[in-house]
Every structure is written in structure tokens, then in C-alpha cells.
Amino acid sequence: MKKYVSTLLAVSMALSLAACGGTTASETTSSAADDTSSAATAETTDTADAGSGDLISIGFAQVGHESDWRTASTKSAQDVFSEANGYELSFVDCDNDSAAQLEAVRGFIQQDVDYIIIDPIVSTGWDTVLTECEDAGIPVIVIDRTIDDSDKYVSWVGSNFKDEGLACGEWLKAYADAKGMGEINALVIEGSTGASATIGRTDGFKEVADKYGWTILDSQSGDFTEAGGQEVMESFCQSYAGQFNVVICQNDNEAFGAMTAMDNAGASYGVDGDVVLVSFDANKPALQLVMEGKINANFECNPMAAPFVEEVIQQLQAGETPEKEIYMAESWFAAEDIVSSINVNGADQEIVHVTQEVLDARPY
């Protein structure tokens, strides 16, 4: 089966290269990491040897466990790729160590799994190991973050991070106009340095800020963690006290940390505050805070990639060629019902007013 998939993969890559023009967008060490990195921790969800029986064996090299979003992403994969569903999943939590992630993928090659899923910690440095996957005849599926220095993967499944940043900016423009805010002086707490989500959200928001002449006072990495968000916001509160009226956090955990820092500094935020607080990811706990008016707006990054990945795998199993890029549907949320829609890249997009009904319907 693997030789057949390898042949299909070669054909698929050739077609993709011709057609793709750059469109938009656990605590036990696993043998998947081959014991080569102490930074990677792993959990094998099924105990059969890779490739044994009728189970489809999958190796998943996850970024880590730095956020609620990441936890939801991992759970999605573990739910979908279960033994009951016909899979054997070898899972490695790479703990935000890019070297450990490369070794985890090499461990999966040694295991001779049928498929490899990668959520890349950084977007470069992948060509050599993806070539090794290709030579071994193991199709690779990339989720969430992107790989920029190699196209030796079957499909990428994820979000358009720049569109998320653009949507954030366009909502802020409409909201500021509705509230009569004369000027925008923003602070940005970025995600992990080099991550495609960080790059896309930063570039998208800056594009809108430049268009409308806003001031971005400072932009620093909070590494997508609550502790990082709090640390950066504490520094901001000292350096820019009284100067900022907008804080953009590039994920929910950073927003939680920023809220603690502003509480400690006596800075008010949210619907009734002096500072507009915006977040990304739209996990349920954060949307609860949106509904309560503590976060003004939240822009979804869908963590439920596994069902889409399963579709790709089933297409390969059937001898079909999957799409090279698969974008998941996402929504934009706000605490107040004063901006009903925005325009992003020429398309009108709804802003969802968060109510209890909306919150109850959220899957994560």
C-alpha cells in the first residue's frame, strides 16, 4: 500500500507544483521521537506496532501544550484517529522545541507509519526531513502553521492567518468609528517568533493600521502563553501608561495574561473600559469573557483540523488526489452588537454577537 501511495504522492506533487500559485491561505517518552530529544514528550494512543493489522498508523508531531487552542487541536486528533475508528496514533508533544520536532518526524519514519501529521513550530528548516519522508514513501499532511521552505507534503489544512489579522483590523476600524474613537494607539502582543500564525496576524493587522494611519506603539512576543502575555503587558503598562487605547493579543492565553497585568496596573479594559482588548482563537473560555464584556472581540482560529485530515487520508487510501491547501471555516465574534459585518478582501463577513446561545453551541 505504501509503495502505491508513494507513487500517487509523486504524481500529486507534480500536479500541485504545476497548479499551485501561492493562494491564501503526555508525559511519556515515545519511540516516535527515537529517544533522541529529551524536550519532546509523547503519548501513543494505541499499543499495536505501527503498521500492524488493519489499522492505519499515523504519527503526529504536535507543537506543544502552550495554549487552550493547542489542547483542543490535540484532542481533535486523538478523538478522530482512535483505534475504534481504524487508526493507530503515535503522538509526540514537542514542547515548542523545533529540533525535537524534526527528530520526532524522523522517529515516525523509523516506525514506518503510514502517514505523518505535522503542526510545524517554525516555518523553515523542513526540506531535508520532508525529503526523507518522501524517500520513505510516507505522505505528510501539515496542519495549522505553514511550511515555507518545502512543498514535499500532500496537503496543508488550516487557517488564513493574514485574513484573521485583516479582519481584526477592519472590525477595529468599524468599532472605533461607531464609538467615536478619534485615534488608535495600539499595543500588540505577538505569538511565537517565526510561527506562521504570528507572521500572518501581525502582517494583516499592520496592513490595516497603515491604511488608516494608526499608531502601533510597540509589538512584542508573548510566545502564545498566558505567562508570556502577562509579562509583556506588565512591561507595556510601565512603558506606555496612559498612552494606549487598544491591546491586540494574538491568542486567548496571552489575553488572559494581559488582563491580569492590566488589573494589577489599574488599567480598565473591555466594553466599559478605557482599553479595547482584542484576542484570537475564540476558545470557549475566552468567548465567555467576550460575552461578559471583558474582551471586546475575538477572531476564531479553528483547531478542529483532524476531520479534514481524515478526509485527506481517505482520499489517498482511495487513490485520489487531495487538494494542496484546505482552509477551514471560521467566525468573528464581538461583545457588542454594534458592528454587524466587515469587508475583508472584497467579501462581506458577519460579526457574531456573543450570547449564551452562541456560547452553548461552541464545540471547544
Side-chain angles (χ1 to χ4, degrees):
M1 184 275 290
K2 193 167 291 179
K3 289 183 179 179
Y4 172 75
V5 172
S6 179
T7 302
L8 174 64
L9 177 59
V11 174
S12 172
M13 300 310 290
L15 291 173
S16 297
L17 285 170
C20 182
T23 59
T24 61
S26 88
E27 305 299 329
T28 310
T29 304
S30 167
S31 61
D34 196 31
D35 295 327
T36 54
S37 173
S38 60
T41 58
E43 176 183 340
T44 304
T45 59
D46 298 295
T47 57
D49 292 334
S52 64
D54 296 325
L55 297 178
I56 297 172
S57 58
I58 296 172
F60 178 19
Q62 175 64 285
V63 169
H65 51 274
E66 77 287 354
S67 65
D68 295 337
W69 189 97
R70 192 68 53 197
T71 299
S73 171
T74 295
K75 187 176 185 304
S76 175
Q78 291 171 334
D79 288 347
V80 170
F81 300 116
S82 66
E83 185 172 356
N85 290 337
Y87 300 96
E88 178 207 347
L89 177 64
S90 294
F91 172 79
V92 177
D93 178 338
C94 298
D95 200 22
N96 274 289
D97 185 331
S98 56
Q101 191 168 49
L102 293 175
E103 292 309 312
V105 173
R106 290 191 168 99
F108 295 147
I109 295 172
Q110 292 175 5
Q111 276 186 270
D112 196 30
V113 299
D114 295 319
Y115 299 94
I116 294 174
I117 304 170
I118 303 170
D119 191 334
I121 295 169
V122 295
S123 59
T124 58
W126 285 100
D127 188 65
T128 298
V129 74
L130 290 189
T131 298
E132 294 169 15
C133 293
E134 185 178 65
D135 291 344
I138 303 176
V140 173
I141 301 159
V142 180
I143 67 168
D144 178 31
R145 304 178 183 181
T146 59
I147 288 175
D148 296 339
D149 62 346
S150 178
D151 59 1
K152 296 173 183 176
Y153 53 88
V154 175
S155 294
W156 168 85
V157 178
S159 306
N160 190 316
F161 301 121
K162 185 175 182 180
D163 275 6
E164 292 173 0
L166 291 170
C168 170
E170 294 297 348
W171 172 85
L172 181 58
K173 168 62 175 173
Y175 183 78
D177 288 347
K179 289 288 191 176
M181 295 173 63
E183 59 183 31
I184 299 295
N185 295 298
L187 293 167
V188 179
I189 304 179
E190 299 179 10
S192 301
T193 302
S196 56
T198 300
I199 295 166
R201 290 168 191 166
T202 301
D203 290 349
F205 181 74
K206 187 177 185 302
E207 183 175 312
V208 178
D210 290 345
K211 179 170 68 172
Y212 295 122
W214 298 341
T215 299
I216 298 178
L217 296 168
D218 206 338
S219 187
Q220 296 182 22
S221 171
D223 210 25
F224 286 134
T225 68
E226 183 168 346
Q230 180 173 345
E231 181 179 358
V232 172
M233 195 67 231
E234 286 172 346
S235 175
F236 284 165
C237 285
Q238 292 177 2
S239 300
Y240 303 99
Q243 300 178 46
F244 62 94
N245 60 355
V246 173
V247 173
I248 307 295
C249 299
Q250 291 189 351
N251 83 337
D252 290 335
N253 290 79
E254 288 180 341
F256 301 155
M259 292 168 65
T260 300
M262 286 190 282
D263 286 340
N264 293 339
S268 62
Y269 53 87
V271 171
D272 297 320
D274 297 326
V275 177
V276 177
L277 179 60
V278 180
S279 184
F280 290 83
D281 283 358
N283 289 297
K284 208 167 187 175
L287 286 187
Q288 175 72 41
L289 296 175
V290 174
M291 188 175 72
E292 294 173 3
K294 296 177 181 178
I295 296 175
N296 296 82
N298 205 321
F299 297 83
E300 182 180 27
C301 182
N302 191 343
M304 315 296 278
F308 296 85
V309 174
E310 184 181 32
E311 289 185 15
V312 171
I313 290 173
Q314 293 304 321
Q315 285 179 299
L316 291 171
Q317 291 288 109
E320 301 170 1
T321 302
E323 295 290 331
K324 185 72 172 180
E325 293 182 328
I326 301 168
Y327 288 93
M328 298 184 293
E330 297 177 330
S331 299
W332 321 134
F333 300 92
E336 298 171 89
D337 195 15
I338 60 175
V339 176
S340 59
S341 67
I342 56 174
N343 191 281
V344 179
N345 292 327
D348 289 334
Q349 299 181 3
E350 180 187 9
I351 301 295
V352 179
H353 176 220
V354 180
T355 63
Q356 189 63 53
E357 183 180 6
V358 169
L359 196 63
D360 290 343
R362 298 293 291 163
Y364 62 92

